[in-house]
Amino acid sequence: YTSGSTGTPKGAQNEHSALINRLTWMQAAYGLGTDDVVLQKTPYSFDVSGWEFFWPLQQGARLVLAAPGEHKDPATLVETITKYRVTTIHFVPSMLSSFLEAEGVKRCTSLRRIVCSGEALPIPSVRRLQRLLPWTELHNLYGPTEAAIDVTSWACPPDYDEETVPIGRPISNTRLYVVDGHGSLVPVGVAGELWIGG
């Protein structure tokens, strides 16, 4: 289900090939290994749960299921991450901000990668993560549910000091176009509507 395109929750249908493309791209980009541990904490009615469930299972990594409601409790997440040595986790940016405020977040030494999507990623969260968990990769993804979870990706450099966080470049087998009100491409730097293809 998604509310991103209308503000009202609605079901979105995806094709199997689009989901496979998304999972194949994610493995090529991030290289999940058999020593990785993914925390599945997104309610299964949301698109992100698709990669949380299937990516680790495809790669022989360990999958840890969060208890119901745990995705809303930063202190409990810290305990789960440290107990199970979680290496990979997803956050919507507002929850990442809350997580980074939690007592003991520096104990999450096993975290190798944090994937964010669902909202604009604010710079204060990037700065805080760089200070508290400097060994952890931060990835900002963007995409509507209708396009099989995410269509762009951006890896945050450890020393990133700009004032905005980009949504990145298209993932494999995806094309992005910025067009005007008539569907014509606009020049670089000109605002328009984002069209997704692939």
Side-chain angles (χ1 to χ4, degrees):
Y1 279 85
T2 179
S3 59
S5 56
T6 63
T8 303
K10 66 176 183 179
Q13 187 173 350
N14 276 276
E15 292 185 7
H16 184 262
S17 60
L19 293 169
I20 293 299
N21 182 69
R22 172 62 173 69
L23 292 168
T24 302
W25 163 80
M26 198 167 200
Q27 180 60 20
Y30 305 137
L32 200 68
T34 56
D35 61 334
D36 276 300
V37 180
V38 176
L39 181 61
Q40 195 291 317
K41 65 178 188 57
T42 303
Y44 65 83
S45 60
F46 288 93
D47 59 356
V48 167
S49 70
W51 73 254
E52 285 180 337
F53 279 121
F54 298 116
W55 185 35
L57 295 176
Q58 282 183 320
Q59 303 307 322
R62 222 170 58 164
L63 176 64
V64 173
L65 301 176
E70 189 174 331
H71 67 287
K72 300 177 187 177
D73 183 359
T76 304
L77 286 173
V78 168
E79 294 308 314
T80 299
I81 290 165
T82 55
K83 178 179 179 180
Y84 294 103
R85 306 291 299 154
V86 171
T87 63
T88 304
I89 193 168
H90 173 271
F91 285 107
V92 292
S94 54
M95 189 61 203
L96 174 63
S97 179
S98 296
F99 170 73
L100 293 172
E101 297 290 331
E103 183 86 21
V105 74
K106 286 184 177 181
R107 292 186 300 131
C108 297
T109 57
S110 62
L111 277 179
R112 295 180 191 163
R113 65 187 69 80
I114 292 176
V115 178
C116 282
S117 66
E119 303 165 353
L121 179 57
I123 282 295
S125 293
V126 173
R127 302 269 187 273
R128 189 161 180 80
L129 184 120
Q130 289 170 330
R131 282 194 316 276
L132 295 173
L133 305 171
W135 57 86
T136 305
E137 297 173 2
L138 177 61
H139 300 276
N140 188 41
L141 279 60
Y142 162 80
T145 302
E146 297 88 336
I149 310 172
D150 297 301
V151 294
T152 68
S153 171
W154 180 75
C156 182
D159 57 351
Y160 188 69
D161 65 354
E162 301 294 324
E163 292 306 313
T164 59
V165 177
I167 64 169
R169 298 200 176 275
I171 69 166
S172 298
N173 302 309
T174 302
R175 294 178 303 281
L176 301 178
Y177 306 97
V178 181
V179 299
D180 62 20
H182 303 288
S184 298
L185 293 174
V186 299
V188 173
V190 175
E193 183 178 351
L194 182 64
W195 279 10
I196 303 165

PDB file of all heavy atoms in Angstrom, residues 91-102 122 125 128:
ATOM      1  N   PHE A  91      15.264   2.752   7.410  1.00  0.00           N
ATOM      2  CA  PHE A  91      14.534   3.762   8.174  1.00  0.00           C
ATOM      3  C   PHE A  91      13.865   4.742   7.225  1.00  0.00           C
ATOM      4  O   PHE A  91      14.477   5.129   6.225  1.00  0.00           O
ATOM      5  CB  PHE A  91      15.476   4.592   9.067  1.00  0.00           C
ATOM      6  CG  PHE A  91      15.965   3.907  10.285  1.00  0.00           C
ATOM      7  CD1 PHE A  91      17.272   3.464  10.371  1.00  0.00           C
ATOM      8  CD2 PHE A  91      15.128   3.720  11.382  1.00  0.00           C
ATOM      9  CE1 PHE A  91      17.738   2.847  11.518  1.00  0.00           C
ATOM     10  CE2 PHE A  91      15.583   3.104  12.535  1.00  0.00           C
ATOM     11  CZ  PHE A  91      16.893   2.656  12.599  1.00  0.00           C
ATOM     12  N   VAL A  92      12.642   5.156   7.553  1.00  0.00           N
ATOM     13  CA  VAL A  92      12.160   6.389   6.955  1.00  0.00           C
ATOM     14  C   VAL A  92      12.931   7.481   7.690  1.00  0.00           C
ATOM     15  O   VAL A  92      13.274   7.317   8.870  1.00  0.00           O
ATOM     16  CB  VAL A  92      10.625   6.562   7.083  1.00  0.00           C
ATOM     17  CG1 VAL A  92       9.892   5.535   6.247  1.00  0.00           C
ATOM     18  CG2 VAL A  92      10.180   6.530   8.507  1.00  0.00           C
ATOM     19  N   PRO A  93      13.264   8.578   7.038  1.00  0.00           N
ATOM     20  CA  PRO A  93      14.118   9.582   7.664  1.00  0.00           C
ATOM     21  C   PRO A  93      13.630  10.112   9.016  1.00  0.00           C
ATOM     22  O   PRO A  93      14.453  10.360   9.901  1.00  0.00           O
ATOM     23  CB  PRO A  93      14.189  10.685   6.611  1.00  0.00           C
ATOM     24  CG  PRO A  93      14.141   9.907   5.330  1.00  0.00           C
ATOM     25  CD  PRO A  93      13.107   8.839   5.600  1.00  0.00           C
ATOM     26  N   SER A  94      12.322  10.259   9.202  1.00  0.00           N
ATOM     27  CA  SER A  94      11.846  10.752  10.502  1.00  0.00           C
ATOM     28  C   SER A  94      12.165   9.752  11.615  1.00  0.00           C
ATOM     29  O   SER A  94      12.503  10.141  12.735  1.00  0.00           O
ATOM     30  CB  SER A  94      10.353  11.063  10.449  1.00  0.00           C
ATOM     31  OG  SER A  94       9.627   9.949   9.977  1.00  0.00           O
ATOM     32  N   MET A  95      12.086   8.465  11.322  1.00  0.00           N
ATOM     33  CA  MET A  95      12.424   7.457  12.323  1.00  0.00           C
ATOM     34  C   MET A  95      13.934   7.364  12.521  1.00  0.00           C
ATOM     35  O   MET A  95      14.403   7.118  13.628  1.00  0.00           O
ATOM     36  CB  MET A  95      11.844   6.102  11.930  1.00  0.00           C
ATOM     37  CG  MET A  95      11.963   5.054  13.002  1.00  0.00           C
ATOM     38  SD  MET A  95      11.083   5.545  14.506  1.00  0.00           S
ATOM     39  CE  MET A  95      11.965   4.552  15.702  1.00  0.00           C
ATOM     40  N   LEU A  96      14.703   7.577  11.459  1.00  0.00           N
ATOM     41  CA  LEU A  96      16.161   7.625  11.608  1.00  0.00           C
ATOM     42  C   LEU A  96      16.542   8.717  12.588  1.00  0.00           C
ATOM     43  O   LEU A  96      17.382   8.511  13.467  1.00  0.00           O
ATOM     44  CB  LEU A  96      16.849   7.863  10.264  1.00  0.00           C
ATOM     45  CG  LEU A  96      18.363   8.070  10.335  1.00  0.00           C
ATOM     46  CD1 LEU A  96      19.075   6.821  10.869  1.00  0.00           C
ATOM     47  CD2 LEU A  96      18.924   8.465   8.971  1.00  0.00           C
ATOM     48  N   SER A  97      15.907   9.868  12.469  1.00  0.00           N
ATOM     49  CA  SER A  97      16.176  10.975  13.376  1.00  0.00           C
ATOM     50  C   SER A  97      15.904  10.572  14.824  1.00  0.00           C
ATOM     51  O   SER A  97      16.727  10.819  15.718  1.00  0.00           O
ATOM     52  CB  SER A  97      15.320  12.184  12.988  1.00  0.00           C
ATOM     53  OG  SER A  97      15.541  13.245  13.870  1.00  0.00           O
ATOM     54  N   SER A  98      14.776   9.915  15.075  1.00  0.00           N
ATOM     55  CA  SER A  98      14.450   9.451  16.429  1.00  0.00           C
ATOM     56  C   SER A  98      15.441   8.398  16.907  1.00  0.00           C
ATOM     57  O   SER A  98      15.879   8.418  18.054  1.00  0.00           O
ATOM     58  CB  SER A  98      13.034   8.863  16.469  1.00  0.00           C
ATOM     59  OG  SER A  98      12.088   9.847  16.179  1.00  0.00           O
ATOM     60  N   PHE A  99      15.797   7.480  16.027  1.00  0.00           N
ATOM     61  CA  PHE A  99      16.758   6.429  16.373  1.00  0.00           C
ATOM     62  C   PHE A  99      18.093   7.029  16.792  1.00  0.00           C
ATOM     63  O   PHE A  99      18.699   6.597  17.779  1.00  0.00           O
ATOM     64  CB  PHE A  99      16.937   5.495  15.176  1.00  0.00           C
ATOM     65  CG  PHE A  99      18.059   4.517  15.331  1.00  0.00           C
ATOM     66  CD1 PHE A  99      17.938   3.432  16.195  1.00  0.00           C
ATOM     67  CD2 PHE A  99      19.226   4.663  14.600  1.00  0.00           C
ATOM     68  CE1 PHE A  99      18.976   2.519  16.336  1.00  0.00           C
ATOM     69  CE2 PHE A  99      20.268   3.757  14.738  1.00  0.00           C
ATOM     70  CZ  PHE A  99      20.142   2.686  15.606  1.00  0.00           C
ATOM     71  N   LEU A 100      18.561   8.032  16.048  1.00  0.00           N
ATOM     72  CA  LEU A 100      19.857   8.643  16.354  1.00  0.00           C
ATOM     73  C   LEU A 100      19.856   9.416  17.665  1.00  0.00           C
ATOM     74  O   LEU A 100      20.922   9.725  18.201  1.00  0.00           O
ATOM     75  CB  LEU A 100      20.296   9.544  15.189  1.00  0.00           C
ATOM     76  CG  LEU A 100      20.622   8.800  13.895  1.00  0.00           C
ATOM     77  CD1 LEU A 100      20.849   9.784  12.765  1.00  0.00           C
ATOM     78  CD2 LEU A 100      21.812   7.869  14.078  1.00  0.00           C
ATOM     79  N   GLU A 101      18.678   9.718  18.203  1.00  0.00           N
ATOM     80  CA  GLU A 101      18.556  10.385  19.505  1.00  0.00           C
ATOM     81  C   GLU A 101      18.521   9.386  20.657  1.00  0.00           C
ATOM     82  O   GLU A 101      18.596   9.763  21.819  1.00  0.00           O
ATOM     83  CB  GLU A 101      17.278  11.237  19.541  1.00  0.00           C
ATOM     84  CG  GLU A 101      17.237  12.371  18.534  1.00  0.00           C
ATOM     85  CD  GLU A 101      18.215  13.482  18.860  1.00  0.00           C
ATOM     86  OE1 GLU A 101      18.514  13.691  20.061  1.00  0.00           O
ATOM     87  OE2 GLU A 101      18.707  14.126  17.914  1.00  0.00           O
ATOM     88  N   ALA A 102      18.390   8.097  20.342  1.00  0.00           N
ATOM     89  CA  ALA A 102      18.229   7.078  21.380  1.00  0.00           C
ATOM     90  C   ALA A 102      19.489   6.913  22.213  1.00  0.00           C
ATOM     91  O   ALA A 102      20.610   7.014  21.709  1.00  0.00           O
ATOM     92  CB  ALA A 102      17.847   5.741  20.742  1.00  0.00           C
ATOM     93  N   PRO A 122      16.800  14.624   5.813  1.00  0.00           N
ATOM     94  CA  PRO A 122      17.319  15.933   6.230  1.00  0.00           C
ATOM     95  C   PRO A 122      18.813  15.894   6.568  1.00  0.00           C
ATOM     96  O   PRO A 122      19.315  14.910   7.105  1.00  0.00           O
ATOM     97  CB  PRO A 122      16.490  16.281   7.466  1.00  0.00           C
ATOM     98  CG  PRO A 122      15.960  14.991   7.976  1.00  0.00           C
ATOM     99  CD  PRO A 122      15.941  14.019   6.831  1.00  0.00           C
ATOM    100  N   SER A 125      20.151  14.846  10.126  1.00  0.00           N
ATOM    101  CA  SER A 125      20.266  13.403  10.374  1.00  0.00           C
ATOM    102  C   SER A 125      21.547  12.841   9.767  1.00  0.00           C
ATOM    103  O   SER A 125      22.197  11.982  10.363  1.00  0.00           O
ATOM    104  CB  SER A 125      19.055  12.663   9.806  1.00  0.00           C
ATOM    105  OG  SER A 125      17.890  12.997  10.517  1.00  0.00           O
ATOM    106  N   ARG A 128      24.401  13.899  12.076  1.00  0.00           N
ATOM    107  CA  ARG A 128      24.370  13.147  13.341  1.00  0.00           C
ATOM    108  C   ARG A 128      24.847  11.708  13.126  1.00  0.00           C
ATOM    109  O   ARG A 128      25.616  11.179  13.921  1.00  0.00           O
ATOM    110  CB  ARG A 128      22.965  13.180  13.932  1.00  0.00           C
ATOM    111  CG  ARG A 128      22.893  12.621  15.325  1.00  0.00           C
ATOM    112  CD  ARG A 128      21.631  13.097  16.033  1.00  0.00           C
ATOM    113  NE  ARG A 128      21.560  12.573  17.363  1.00  0.00           N
ATOM    114  CZ  ARG A 128      22.198  13.049  18.429  1.00  0.00           C
ATOM    115  NH1 ARG A 128      22.961  14.121  18.297  1.00  0.00           N
ATOM    116  NH2 ARG A 128      22.075  12.491  19.611  1.00  0.00           N
TER     117      ARG A 128
END
